[in-house]
Amino acid sequence: MRAFCRFEELSSIVKNKTSIEEDSITREGIAKLAENYQKYKSLLSELEQCTKEYVKKKKSVQGVMFKSIRKMNTEIGKTQYRKT
């Protein structure tokens, strides 16, 4: 964007040094870049939210799972103790 601002600044000072076609291509390209950048920012924000939700759910599931594993290990230990 800084380069485009500089382009705009120089274009207003030095008129008619670039062709209309080049000017049009540049402006259309910048508009498309700005559009893509906004989409990128939106998707990045969505990814960050998804990542937070994933980590939260992972911790929740692990907590329940590890509690169950401890109970099962205790039961296995009791069963093995009784056999000996």
Side-chain angles (χ1 to χ4, degrees):
M1 288 309 290
R2 279 186 254 151
F4 181 69
C5 289
R6 183 67 176 152
F7 172 79
E8 287 273 280
E9 181 184 320
L10 291 174
S11 292
S12 66
I13 296 170
V14 182
K15 302 212 184 278
N16 301 323
K17 291 297 179 186
T18 59
S19 71
I20 294 171
E21 182 182 348
E22 288 174 334
D23 188 67
S24 177
I25 290 170
T26 300
R27 291 177 192 284
E28 287 173 13
I30 291 297
K32 186 64 177 169
L33 284 173
E35 180 184 317
N36 286 342
Y37 182 72
Q38 288 306 314
K39 185 175 182 180
Y40 163 79
K41 293 291 281 183
S42 173
L43 291 172
L44 186 59
S45 176
E46 188 177 336
L47 178 61
E48 288 171 350
Q49 183 61 36
C50 184
T51 301
K52 287 176 187 176
E53 290 173 15
Y54 172 83
V55 169
K56 183 178 176 182
K57 181 53 81 176
K58 178 182 169 190
K59 287 180 181 180
S60 172
V61 169
Q62 282 179 332
V64 173
M65 182 179 64
F66 290 147
K67 183 178 178 182
S68 296
I69 289 171
R70 285 191 299 274
K71 285 180 182 179
M72 288 185 277
N73 279 334
T74 301
E75 285 300 314
I76 290 170
K78 287 179 185 177
T79 305
Q80 288 177 350
Y81 178 72
R82 284 185 224 155
K83 289 180 179 180
T84 57

